[in-house]
């Protein structure tokens, strides 16, 4: 196995000077065998929900919600991961004014295919499977040799491949599910001797009882513990515990459920929270032949375990970047031995003492950090800094991109090399509109990449965007609620 360490590129010019291929090109070369291989991209976010089916995790109450509708419209993030020779399947038509704006900025866009049957609470894959005309179009692409790159592979993506003839560049659902379990991640690190947070992988109720007994003693001494479902994502399926009585309660709930069902299986991990200074996400690609490419490391921004964005580039010293690159080689080799190839993101952190905790969990799928790389390469000049982030919105009506453009005005760049907010996707802005009660509001979210010459300018830009996205209610204009800063 070979390793190619590729530092994070700031711009196409920098990439060319360094003799490196752009991320999209080298990803295609690694996974599809050619730098210009045409792909169909599928943004089936939170595929973990499908992997969790049949697994026994934490007792919980919940189901499909308006939040699911918003997450499902993150499918539009795949637009800018794809290129002019590629295709993207979406749940709904993208805003034509946003596409025109991107075109004016010189962004090469893929061909868009939209499902004719769309349910807000279904993933884009399930919509596609229920759309005969779309399936026919995808069969035509398959006949021309176009291949499929999904966010991650579940049985639904396998069904889509069968229904269309599209061959996936990723492994099947069983392999992908296996290597994405947090239980697998802990076992892999134990096997390789990679340091991780103190914790326990629980495959049975008895495992859980023993783990909670040990964890309760630590919590009583002041530690905080996280109890995580094997396939939890974005803050779901996790309980943060700082009272040993809560662990006792969890054990009672889990044992009672097992007694009722006659099933003592469990798929959770229990981990002691580390003293954190900075969250990290590092990214590598595993080719079908086992070759590993270290792509980048970014500082991750999280709140309550929920991803909020990335600071680019990371401020890690070179020796720690090299350490993560070496770990990526070892992790990638082990994933390849277990049959996986594809994109991988690893969550890690820097402790308050400056040391690395190099593996919190392994996400063997596309990550949020994956989707901003082509934007970075185009819009982030050498020496500048960027912030990929999301802005929460509270709307009283749909907000079209034209109105958003008017509101943000001079905060949007006019060309690559200028400071500003590059709007990454607008599907999530109005995702909750259909569920809005008469006279009420709904939650939306704007994804974008802020670029600026330095950290101070970046902070001012972020504050200005936040302020402008909080105007007074305006009925049919679909403006966000709040006070108008202009």
């Amino acid at each position: 196995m070979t390793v190619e360490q590729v530092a994070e590129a700031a711009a196409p010019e920098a990439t060319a000077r360094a003799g490196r291929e752009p991320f999209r090109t080298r990803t295609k070369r690694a996974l599809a065998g050619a730098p210009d291989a045409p792909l169909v991209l599928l943004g089936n976010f939170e595929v973990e929900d499908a992997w969790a089916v049949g697994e026994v995790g934490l007792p919980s109450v919940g189901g499909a919600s308006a939040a699911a509708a918003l997450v499902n419209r993150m499918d539009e993030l795949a637009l800018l991961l794809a290129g002019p020779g590629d295709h993207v399947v979406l749940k709904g038509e993208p805003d034509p004014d946003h596409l025109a704006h991107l075109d004016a900025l010189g962004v090469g866009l893929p061909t868009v295919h939209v499902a004719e049957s769309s349910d807000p609470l279904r993933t884009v894959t399930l919509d596609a499977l229920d759309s005969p005309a779309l399936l026919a179009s995808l069969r035509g692409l398959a006949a021309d040799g176009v291949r499929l790159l999904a966010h991650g592979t579940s049985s639904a993506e396998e069904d889509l491949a069968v229904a269309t003839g599209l061959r996936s560049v990723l492994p099947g659902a069983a392999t992908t599910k296996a290597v994405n379990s947090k239980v697998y991640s802990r076992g892999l690190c134990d096997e390789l001797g990679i340091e991780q947070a103190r914790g326990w992988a629980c495959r049975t109720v008895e495992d859980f009882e023993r783990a909670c007994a040990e964890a309760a003693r630590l919590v009583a001494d002041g530690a905080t513990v996280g109890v995580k479902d094997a396939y939890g994502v974005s803050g779901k399926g996790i309980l943060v515990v700082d009272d040993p009585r809560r662990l006792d309660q969890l054990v009672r709930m889990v044992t009672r459920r097992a007694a009722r069902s006659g099933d003592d299986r469990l798929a959770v991990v229990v981990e002691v929270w580390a003293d954190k200074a900075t969250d990290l996400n590092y990214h590598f690609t595993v080719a079908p032949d086992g070759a590993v490419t270290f792509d980048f490391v970014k500082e991750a921004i999280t709140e309550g375990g929920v991803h909020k964005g990335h600071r680019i580039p990371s401020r890690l010293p070179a020796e720690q970047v090299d350490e993560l690159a070496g770990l990526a080689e070892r992790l990638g080799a082990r994933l390849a031995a277990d049959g996986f190839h594809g994109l991988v993101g690893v969550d890690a952190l820097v402790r308050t003492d400056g040391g690395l905790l190099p593996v919190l969990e392994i996400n063997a799928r596309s990550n949020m950090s994956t989707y901003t790389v082509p934007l970075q390469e185009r819009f982030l000049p050498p020496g500048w800094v960027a912030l990929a982030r999301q802005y929460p919105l509270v709307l009283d009506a749909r907000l079209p991109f034209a109105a958003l453009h008017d509101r943000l005005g001079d905060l949007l760049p006019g060309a690559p090399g200028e400071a500003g907010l590059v709007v990454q996707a607008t599907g999530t802005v109005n995702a909750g509109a259909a569920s809005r009660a008469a006279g009420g509001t709904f939650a939306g979210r704007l994804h974008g990449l802020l670029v600026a010459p330095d950290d101070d300018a970046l902070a001012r830009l972020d504050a200005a965007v936040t302020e402008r996205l909080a105007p007074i209610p305006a009925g049919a204009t679909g403006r966000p609620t709040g006070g108008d800063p202009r």
Side-chain angles (χ1 to χ4, degrees):
M1 185 189 70
T2 61
V3 178
E4 177 190 0
Q5 182 175 338
V6 181
E8 190 168 11
E13 296 80 6
T15 300
R17 285 198 300 271
R20 295 189 301 270
E21 290 182 306
F23 177 75
R24 184 187 296 132
T25 303
R26 66 180 187 259
T27 297
K28 289 184 174 188
R29 185 186 298 278
L31 299 183
D36 57 353
L39 298 174
V40 171
L41 281 83
L42 198 64
N44 56 313
F45 281 80
E46 297 202 354
V47 64
E48 288 87 350
D49 289 345
W51 294 331
V53 173
E55 299 294 328
V56 183
L58 294 172
S60 63
V61 178
S65 65
L70 192 153
V71 168
N72 288 334
R73 282 316 332 264
M74 289 170 65
D75 64 335
E76 203 173 288
L77 294 176
L79 268 174
L80 299 184
L81 186 59
D86 296 320
H87 304 259
V88 172
V89 175
L90 299 179
K91 290 176 64 68
E93 291 284 355
D95 190 311
D97 291 322
H98 181 224
L99 297 184
H101 173 70
L102 293 171
D103 183 65
L105 289 173
V107 176
L109 295 170
T111 300
V112 174
H113 304 262
V114 178
E116 67 264 25
S117 174
S118 186
D119 181 333
L121 300 183
R122 293 191 307 206
T123 65
V124 62
T125 310
L126 296 177
D127 279 350
L129 286 167
D130 194 32
S131 299
L134 172 59
L135 292 175
S137 296
L138 296 179
R139 289 187 197 103
L141 296 178
D144 291 336
V146 181
R147 298 182 66 182
L148 177 67
L149 173 60
H151 179 79
T153 306
S154 72
S155 59
E157 287 67 51
E158 289 184 325
D159 290 344
L160 184 66
V162 171
T164 60
L166 288 168
R167 291 188 302 123
S168 176
V169 298
L170 301 176
T175 296
T176 307
K177 172 180 174 174
V179 301
N180 274 281
S181 168
K182 293 177 178 61
V183 173
Y184 171 91
S185 180
R186 285 202 65 88
L188 184 153
C189 289
D190 286 342
E191 178 185 324
L192 297 180
I194 295 173
E195 183 184 5
Q196 55 189 326
R198 182 173 180 180
W200 304 266
C202 304
R203 297 174 177 84
T204 67
V205 172
E206 185 179 353
D207 289 343
F208 189 64
E209 290 174 320
R210 285 197 298 265
C212 287
E214 293 188 53
R217 289 191 287 271
L218 298 174
V219 171
D221 288 337
T224 298
V225 167
V227 185
K228 307 178 186 178
D229 280 341
Y231 295 101
V233 62
S234 300
K236 297 188 300 184
I238 180 172
L239 290 173
V240 180
V241 181
D242 57 10
D243 185 335
R245 292 172 297 182
R246 180 58 171 145
L247 287 172
D248 292 340
Q249 181 186 32
L250 274 176
V251 169
R252 289 195 300 270
M253 294 170 68
V254 167
T255 54
R256 283 199 300 265
R257 182 182 61 187
R260 288 194 305 268
S261 67
D263 185 352
D264 73 342
R265 291 181 305 126
L266 200 62
V268 302
V269 299
V270 181
E271 293 180 337
V272 179
W273 252 221
D275 293 327
K276 178 186 70 176
T278 306
D279 282 304
L280 301 172
N281 177 267
Y282 58 101
H283 193 286
F284 57 93
T285 305
V286 182
D289 65 0
V292 177
T293 301
F294 180 73
D295 296 313
F296 55 77
V297 56
K298 299 178 181 179
E299 294 179 21
I301 302 167
T302 60
E303 294 178 11
V306 179
H307 171 84
K308 296 295 182 181
H310 292 100
R311 195 268 188 193
I312 307 159
S314 77
R315 288 164 283 197
L316 285 182
E319 58 270 21
Q320 288 187 324
V321 175
D322 290 342
E323 181 180 345
L324 295 179
L327 283 170
E329 175 182 2
R330 297 173 64 199
L331 294 170
R334 189 63 178 81
L335 288 166
D338 284 340
F340 179 82
H341 56 271
L343 304 174
V344 183
V346 181
D347 293 335
L349 61 79
V350 180
R351 294 190 179 94
T352 52
D353 64 5
L356 286 175
L357 188 59
V359 179
L360 298 179
E361 63 182 58
I362 299 167
N363 297 302
R365 52 161 172 78
S366 293
N367 291 240
M368 286 299 292
S369 62
T370 312
Y371 291 92
T372 53
V373 183
L375 283 183
Q376 296 163 226
E377 292 177 335
R378 181 163 194 83
F379 290 97
L380 184 60
W384 283 35
V385 292
L387 181 65
R389 66 155 293 179
Q390 48 189 256
Y391 295 92
L393 303 170
V394 180
L395 302 172
D396 60 9
R398 289 183 176 274
L399 179 65
F401 180 77
L404 185 65
H405 188 284
D406 290 345
R407 181 144 299 279
L408 294 173
D410 60 340
L411 302 181
L412 300 173
E418 296 182 7
L421 170 71
V422 183
V423 176
Q424 191 175 5
T426 61
T428 52
V429 170
N430 300 303
S435 63
R436 181 178 74 98
T441 61
F442 64 91
R445 194 163 70 202
L446 178 67
H447 289 266
L449 181 73
L450 300 157
V451 294
D454 55 53
D455 283 324
D456 288 343
L458 189 66
R460 291 194 299 271
L461 176 61
D462 185 26
V465 172
T466 300
E467 188 178 18
R468 295 219 192 151
L469 291 176
I472 59 175
T477 61
R479 293 160 62 179
T481 63
D484 192 336
R486 296 184 305 171

